[in-house]
C-alpha cells in the first residue's frame, strides 16, 4: 500500500469485517498510520488472529471484538467495548 503521509496517531478506528479481505486491509492501513484499532468480525478466531498479526507487524494497539453487525444489540456492545478499551 502506498504511503500518503496521512497520520492517525492518537485516533481510534473501529473496523468491521476485519478478519480478512478489504476490512483487514483497512485495519492494517489505519494501524500503520498510527491509529489504535478495534477489529470486529463474526468469525472471532480469525478476527483475533488478524488483530494479533497487525499489532505484531505495526506495533499498534489492537483489540478483537467478535460481533454480528446484523444484530443491533451487538453493534451497541461493539461500540461500547471499543470506547472502554481505548
Amino acid at each position: 500500500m502506498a504511503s500518503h503521509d496521512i497520520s492517525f496517531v492518537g485516533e481510534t478506528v473501529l473496523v468491521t469485517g476485519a478478519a480478512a479481505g478489504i476490512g483487514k486491509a483497512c485495519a492494517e492501513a489505519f494501524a500503520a498510520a498510527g491509529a489504535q484499532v478495534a477489529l470486529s468480525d463474526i468469525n472471532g478466531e480469525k478476527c483475533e488472529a488478524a488483530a494479533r498479526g497487525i499489532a505484531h507487524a505495526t506495533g499498534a494497539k489492537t483489540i478483537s471484538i467478535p460481533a454480528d453487525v446484523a444484530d443491533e444489540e451487538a453493534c451497541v456492545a461493539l461500540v461500547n467495548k471499543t470506547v472502554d478499551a481505548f
Side-chain angles (χ1 to χ4, degrees), residues 4-31:
H4 299 288
D5 297 324
I6 297 174
S7 174
F8 282 86
V9 172
E11 300 294 333
T12 298
V13 178
L14 167 60
V15 180
T16 60
I22 294 170
K24 184 178 178 187
C26 289
E28 290 169 339
F30 281 119

Side-chain angles (χ1 to χ4, degrees), residues 22-45:
I22 294 170
K24 184 178 178 187
C26 289
E28 290 169 339
F30 281 119
Q36 46 194 16
V37 184
L39 290 82
S40 183
D41 198 276
I42 198 165
N43 185 324
E45 289 180 19

Side-chain angles (χ1 to χ4, degrees), residues 30-70:
F30 281 119
Q36 46 194 16
V37 184
L39 290 82
S40 183
D41 198 276
I42 198 165
N43 185 324
E45 289 180 19
K46 283 183 70 175
C47 189
E48 178 61 33
R52 279 194 315 268
I54 291 169
H56 179 74
T58 66
K61 182 175 180 184
T62 64
I63 60 168
S64 171
I65 307 169
D68 180 355
V69 297

